[in-house]
mmCIF file with all atom_site columns, all heavy atoms in Angstrom:
data_model
loop_
_atom_site.group_PDB
_atom_site.id
_atom_site.type_symbol
_atom_site.label_atom_id
_atom_site.label_alt_id
_atom_site.label_comp_id
_atom_site.label_asym_id
_atom_site.label_entity_id
_atom_site.label_seq_id
_atom_site.pdbx_PDB_ins_code
_atom_site.Cartn_x
_atom_site.Cartn_y
_atom_site.Cartn_z
_atom_site.occupancy
_atom_site.B_iso_or_equiv
_atom_site.pdbx_formal_charge
_atom_site.auth_seq_id
_atom_site.auth_comp_id
_atom_site.auth_asym_id
_atom_site.auth_atom_id
_atom_site.pdbx_PDB_model_num
ATOM 1  N N   . GLN I 1 2  ? 54.697 68.559 -208.684 1.00 81.00 ? 2  GLN I N   1
ATOM 2  C CA  . GLN I 1 2  ? 55.312 68.788 -209.931 1.00 81.00 ? 2  GLN I CA  1
ATOM 3  C C   . GLN I 1 2  ? 55.190 67.603 -210.889 1.00 81.00 ? 2  GLN I C   1
ATOM 4  O O   . GLN I 1 2  ? 55.271 66.455 -210.433 1.00 81.00 ? 2  GLN I O   1
ATOM 5  C CB  . GLN I 1 2  ? 56.844 69.080 -209.791 1.00 81.00 ? 2  GLN I CB  1
ATOM 6  C CG  . GLN I 1 2  ? 57.119 70.272 -208.902 1.00 81.00 ? 2  GLN I CG  1
ATOM 7  C CD  . GLN I 1 2  ? 58.569 70.592 -208.913 1.00 81.00 ? 2  GLN I CD  1
ATOM 8  O OE1 . GLN I 1 2  ? 59.051 71.468 -209.724 1.00 81.00 ? 2  GLN I OE1 1
ATOM 9  N NE2 . GLN I 1 2  ? 59.279 69.959 -208.036 1.00 81.00 ? 2  GLN I NE2 1
ATOM 10 N N   . SER I 1 3  ? 54.849 67.785 -212.123 1.00 88.00 ? 3  SER I N   1
ATOM 11 C CA  . SER I 1 3  ? 54.696 66.690 -213.051 1.00 88.00 ? 3  SER I CA  1
ATOM 12 C C   . SER I 1 3  ? 54.687 67.153 -214.493 1.00 88.00 ? 3  SER I C   1
ATOM 13 O O   . SER I 1 3  ? 54.655 68.375 -214.840 1.00 88.00 ? 3  SER I O   1
ATOM 14 C CB  . SER I 1 3  ? 53.274 66.047 -212.782 1.00 88.00 ? 3  SER I CB  1
ATOM 15 O OG  . SER I 1 3  ? 52.236 66.955 -212.993 1.00 88.00 ? 3  SER I OG  1
ATOM 16 N N   . VAL I 1 4  ? 54.688 66.146 -215.406 1.00 93.00 ? 4  VAL I N   1
ATOM 17 C CA  . VAL I 1 4  ? 54.573 66.351 -216.832 1.00 93.00 ? 4  VAL I CA  1
ATOM 18 C C   . VAL I 1 4  ? 53.610 65.302 -217.296 1.00 93.00 ? 4  VAL I C   1
ATOM 19 O O   . VAL I 1 4  ? 53.689 64.201 -216.914 1.00 93.00 ? 4  VAL I O   1
ATOM 20 C CB  . VAL I 1 4  ? 55.937 66.365 -217.521 1.00 93.00 ? 4  VAL I CB  1
ATOM 21 C CG1 . VAL I 1 4  ? 56.625 64.989 -217.285 1.00 93.00 ? 4  VAL I CG1 1
ATOM 22 C CG2 . VAL I 1 4  ? 55.847 66.731 -219.019 1.00 93.00 ? 4  VAL I CG2 1
ATOM 23 N N   . ALA I 1 5  ? 52.805 65.748 -218.274 1.00 95.00 ? 5  ALA I N   1
ATOM 24 C CA  . ALA I 1 5  ? 51.699 64.813 -218.771 1.00 95.00 ? 5  ALA I CA  1
ATOM 25 C C   . ALA I 1 5  ? 51.568 64.922 -220.280 1.00 95.00 ? 5  ALA I C   1
ATOM 26 O O   . ALA I 1 5  ? 51.686 65.958 -220.840 1.00 95.00 ? 5  ALA I O   1
ATOM 27 C CB  . ALA I 1 5  ? 50.419 65.126 -218.054 1.00 95.00 ? 5  ALA I CB  1
ATOM 28 N N   . GLN I 1 6  ? 51.370 63.825 -220.844 1.00 97.00 ? 6  GLN I N   1
ATOM 29 C CA  . GLN I 1 6  ? 51.027 63.708 -222.263 1.00 97.00 ? 6  GLN I CA  1
ATOM 30 C C   . GLN I 1 6  ? 49.679 62.983 -222.327 1.00 97.00 ? 6  GLN I C   1
ATOM 31 O O   . GLN I 1 6  ? 49.595 61.770 -222.088 1.00 97.00 ? 6  GLN I O   1
ATOM 32 C CB  . GLN I 1 6  ? 52.100 62.895 -223.030 1.00 97.00 ? 6  GLN I CB  1
ATOM 33 C CG  . GLN I 1 6  ? 53.440 63.559 -223.029 1.00 97.00 ? 6  GLN I CG  1
ATOM 34 C CD  . GLN I 1 6  ? 54.531 62.754 -223.821 1.00 97.00 ? 6  GLN I CD  1
ATOM 35 O OE1 . GLN I 1 6  ? 55.490 62.378 -223.157 1.00 97.00 ? 6  GLN I OE1 1
ATOM 36 N NE2 . GLN I 1 6  ? 54.240 62.575 -225.134 1.00 97.00 ? 6  GLN I NE2 1
ATOM 37 N N   . PRO I 1 7  ? 48.661 63.764 -222.613 1.00 96.00 ? 7  PRO I N   1
ATOM 38 C CA  . PRO I 1 7  ? 47.262 63.291 -222.447 1.00 96.00 ? 7  PRO I CA  1
ATOM 39 C C   . PRO I 1 7  ? 46.905 62.238 -223.522 1.00 96.00 ? 7  PRO I C   1
ATOM 40 O O   . PRO I 1 7  ? 45.841 61.564 -223.321 1.00 96.00 ? 7  PRO I O   1
ATOM 41 C CB  . PRO I 1 7  ? 46.361 64.501 -222.572 1.00 96.00 ? 7  PRO I CB  1
ATOM 42 C CG  . PRO I 1 7  ? 47.283 65.526 -223.383 1.00 96.00 ? 7  PRO I CG  1
ATOM 43 C CD  . PRO I 1 7  ? 48.632 65.194 -222.985 1.00 96.00 ? 7  PRO I CD  1
ATOM 44 N N   . GLU I 1 8  ? 47.629 62.099 -224.604 1.00 96.00 ? 8  GLU I N   1
ATOM 45 C CA  . GLU I 1 8  ? 47.194 61.182 -225.691 1.00 96.00 ? 8  GLU I CA  1
ATOM 46 C C   . GLU I 1 8  ? 48.275 60.118 -225.783 1.00 96.00 ? 8  GLU I C   1
ATOM 47 O O   . GLU I 1 8  ? 49.455 60.320 -225.908 1.00 96.00 ? 8  GLU I O   1
ATOM 48 C CB  . GLU I 1 8  ? 47.125 61.939 -227.027 1.00 96.00 ? 8  GLU I CB  1
ATOM 49 C CG  . GLU I 1 8  ? 46.149 63.104 -227.037 1.00 96.00 ? 8  GLU I CG  1
ATOM 50 C CD  . GLU I 1 8  ? 46.474 64.072 -228.090 1.00 96.00 ? 8  GLU I CD  1
ATOM 51 O OE1 . GLU I 1 8  ? 47.668 64.453 -228.241 1.00 96.00 ? 8  GLU I OE1 1
ATOM 52 O OE2 . GLU I 1 8  ? 45.554 64.570 -228.719 1.00 96.00 ? 8  GLU I OE2 1
ATOM 53 N N   . ASP I 1 9  ? 47.736 58.791 -225.772 1.00 96.00 ? 9  ASP I N   1
ATOM 54 C CA  . ASP I 1 9  ? 48.624 57.702 -225.886 1.00 96.00 ? 9  ASP I CA  1
ATOM 55 C C   . ASP I 1 9  ? 49.116 57.495 -227.426 1.00 96.00 ? 9  ASP I C   1
ATOM 56 O O   . ASP I 1 9  ? 50.159 57.099 -227.691 1.00 96.00 ? 9  ASP I O   1
ATOM 57 C CB  . ASP I 1 9  ? 47.953 56.423 -225.515 1.00 96.00 ? 9  ASP I CB  1
ATOM 58 C CG  . ASP I 1 9  ? 47.794 56.284 -224.018 1.00 96.00 ? 9  ASP I CG  1
ATOM 59 O OD1 . ASP I 1 9  ? 48.603 56.974 -223.287 1.00 96.00 ? 9  ASP I OD1 1
ATOM 60 O OD2 . ASP I 1 9  ? 46.939 55.554 -223.549 1.00 96.00 ? 9  ASP I OD2 1
ATOM 61 N N   . GLN I 1 10 ? 48.154 57.917 -228.293 1.00 97.00 ? 10 GLN I N   1
ATOM 62 C CA  . GLN I 1 10 ? 48.411 57.770 -229.683 1.00 97.00 ? 10 GLN I CA  1
ATOM 63 C C   . GLN I 1 10 ? 47.741 58.946 -230.455 1.00 97.00 ? 10 GLN I C   1
ATOM 64 O O   . GLN I 1 10 ? 46.695 59.402 -230.206 1.00 97.00 ? 10 GLN I O   1
ATOM 65 C CB  . GLN I 1 10 ? 47.813 56.398 -230.177 1.00 97.00 ? 10 GLN I CB  1
ATOM 66 C CG  . GLN I 1 10 ? 48.077 56.117 -231.647 1.00 97.00 ? 10 GLN I CG  1
ATOM 67 C CD  . GLN I 1 10 ? 47.737 54.699 -232.011 1.00 97.00 ? 10 GLN I CD  1
ATOM 68 O OE1 . GLN I 1 10 ? 48.144 53.723 -231.362 1.00 97.00 ? 10 GLN I OE1 1
ATOM 69 N NE2 . GLN I 1 10 ? 46.869 54.536 -232.997 1.00 97.00 ? 10 GLN I NE2 1
ATOM 70 N N   . VAL I 1 11 ? 48.504 59.367 -231.506 1.00 98.00 ? 11 VAL I N   1
ATOM 71 C CA  . VAL I 1 11 ? 47.975 60.383 -232.367 1.00 98.00 ? 11 VAL I CA  1
ATOM 72 C C   . VAL I 1 11 ? 48.107 59.830 -233.873 1.00 98.00 ? 11 VAL I C   1
ATOM 73 O O   . VAL I 1 11 ? 49.154 59.352 -234.192 1.00 98.00 ? 11 VAL I O   1
ATOM 74 C CB  . VAL I 1 11 ? 48.766 61.733 -232.292 1.00 98.00 ? 11 VAL I CB  1
ATOM 75 C CG1 . VAL I 1 11 ? 48.462 62.705 -233.394 1.00 98.00 ? 11 VAL I CG1 1
ATOM 76 C CG2 . VAL I 1 11 ? 48.463 62.321 -230.918 1.00 98.00 ? 11 VAL I CG2 1
ATOM 77 N N   . ASN I 1 12 ? 47.053 59.935 -234.599 1.00 98.00 ? 12 ASN I N   1
ATOM 78 C CA  . ASN I 1 12 ? 47.022 59.477 -235.926 1.00 98.00 ? 12 ASN I CA  1
ATOM 79 C C   . ASN I 1 12 ? 46.769 60.648 -236.824 1.00 98.00 ? 12 ASN I C   1
ATOM 80 O O   . ASN I 1 12 ? 46.004 61.525 -236.597 1.00 98.00 ? 12 ASN I O   1
ATOM 81 C CB  . ASN I 1 12 ? 45.875 58.525 -236.216 1.00 98.00 ? 12 ASN I CB  1
ATOM 82 C CG  . ASN I 1 12 ? 46.100 57.200 -235.495 1.00 98.00 ? 12 ASN I CG  1
ATOM 83 O OD1 . ASN I 1 12 ? 46.801 56.366 -236.034 1.00 98.00 ? 12 ASN I OD1 1
ATOM 84 N ND2 . ASN I 1 12 ? 45.518 57.045 -234.357 1.00 98.00 ? 12 ASN I ND2 1
ATOM 85 N N   . VAL I 1 13 ? 47.556 60.769 -237.852 1.00 98.00 ? 13 VAL I N   1
ATOM 86 C CA  . VAL I 1 13 ? 47.484 61.938 -238.808 1.00 98.00 ? 13 VAL I CA  1
ATOM 87 C C   . VAL I 1 13 ? 47.802 61.401 -240.269 1.00 98.00 ? 13 VAL I C   1
ATOM 88 O O   . VAL I 1 13 ? 48.643 60.481 -240.447 1.00 98.00 ? 13 VAL I O   1
ATOM 89 C CB  . VAL I 1 13 ? 48.449 63.009 -238.381 1.00 98.00 ? 13 VAL I CB  1
ATOM 90 C CG1 . VAL I 1 13 ? 49.860 62.646 -238.469 1.00 98.00 ? 13 VAL I CG1 1
ATOM 91 C CG2 . VAL I 1 13 ? 48.202 64.252 -239.241 1.00 98.00 ? 13 VAL I CG2 1
ATOM 92 N N   . ALA I 1 14 ? 47.246 62.042 -241.231 1.00 98.00 ? 14 ALA I N   1
ATOM 93 C CA  . ALA I 1 14 ? 47.531 61.652 -242.626 1.00 98.00 ? 14 ALA I CA  1
ATOM 94 C C   . ALA I 1 14 ? 48.785 62.396 -243.089 1.00 98.00 ? 14 ALA I C   1
ATOM 95 O O   . ALA I 1 14 ? 49.022 63.521 -242.696 1.00 98.00 ? 14 ALA I O   1
ATOM 96 C CB  . ALA I 1 14 ? 46.276 61.983 -243.489 1.00 98.00 ? 14 ALA I CB  1
#
Side-chain angles (χ1 to χ4, degrees):
Chain I
Q2 300 187 95
S3 63
V4 58
Q6 295 179 241
E8 302 157 318
D9 290 335
Q10 185 171 304
V11 170
N12 291 278
V13 64

